[in-house]
Amino acid sequence: MKKEDCIFCKIANGEVSSKTLYEDEDFRVILDLGPATKGHALILPKEHAADLFELSEETASKVLVTAKRVAARMAEKLHCDGMNLVQNNGEVAGQTVSHFHLHIIPRYQDDGQQINWVPGKCTQEELEAVRREIVG
Ligand code: 5GP
Ligand code: ZN
């Protein structure tokens, strides 16, 4: 299903042009318009899913396989030194386009980018309380 007025539906299904790196029946992989680094790409499922919660398990299982293939190609062709896979899920997490997408961000020595969080601190007891909250 496509969603009316979803820019990534339009891009994924070829109604709006993009710099496409790869396409198959499930996905289109494009270059991000505002690249964090050279080669910053987005994996877009062709089926609309707003976020990870809406993504089918079948598509979800294929996303990482696609990411692995794109990553290998980037390493070979761009000679990046590493990469970050990022998926912002929900507005609070920084998601700005409500169509699931996985960022593949090649990293280069001294590229000046920061894709980080501030590590917190907690005790073993606090960790155990959270563990129970999740699994209980
Ligand atoms: P988010 O913040 O939702 O995780 O990431 C959205 C990403 O989509 C951003 O990195 C932004 O640069 C990119 N983006 C937004 N609109 C377009 C577009 O029309 N074309 C392309 N290629 N990238 C887009
Ligand atoms: Zn969509």
Side-chain angles (χ1 to χ4, degrees):
M1 279 288 290
K2 322 292 172 250
K3 187 165 178 280
E4 283 288 311
D5 297 331
C6 173
I7 182 64
F8 280 4
C9 276
K10 292 192 169 90
I11 291 174
N13 293 285
E15 288 166 47
V16 168
S17 71
S18 63
K19 297 296 182 196
T20 295
L21 302 176
Y22 173 80
E23 184 186 4
D24 61 24
E25 62 178 354
D26 298 306
F27 302 103
R28 183 185 294 267
V29 182
I30 65 169
L31 288 176
D32 194 297
L33 263 185
T37 62
K38 180 182 169 186
H40 181 168
L42 302 171
I43 299 181
L44 310 181
K46 291 187 175 179
E47 286 282 315
H48 180 84
D51 55 24
L52 188 63
F53 300 115
E54 286 190 7
L55 202 64
S56 71
E57 289 199 353
E58 190 189 352
T59 304
S61 71
K62 291 176 179 171
V63 168
L64 204 56
V65 175
T66 305
K68 184 169 166 54
R69 290 182 188 150
V70 173
R73 186 85 175 181
M74 297 233 177
E76 182 193 343
K77 298 290 184 177
L78 298 180
H79 308 292
C80 51
D81 302 304
M83 54 194 45
N84 293 106
L85 301 190
V86 177
Q87 198 269 314
N88 297 323
N89 203 64
E91 205 175 327
V92 71
Q95 185 175 6
T96 59
V97 181
S98 293
H99 176 125
F100 176 93
H101 48 284
L102 181 67
H103 296 258
I104 302 180
I105 305 174
R107 300 302 305 272
Y108 307 88
Q109 295 297 338
D110 305 319
D111 62 23
Q113 276 294 349
Q114 291 209 334
I115 301 162
N116 281 329
W117 59 87
V118 180
K121 283 195 179 121
C122 67
T123 64
Q124 286 298 314
E125 290 72 25
E126 287 166 334
L127 286 180
E128 178 58 13
V130 174
R131 190 190 74 80
R132 282 173 186 270
E133 195 174 339
I134 295 168
V135 304

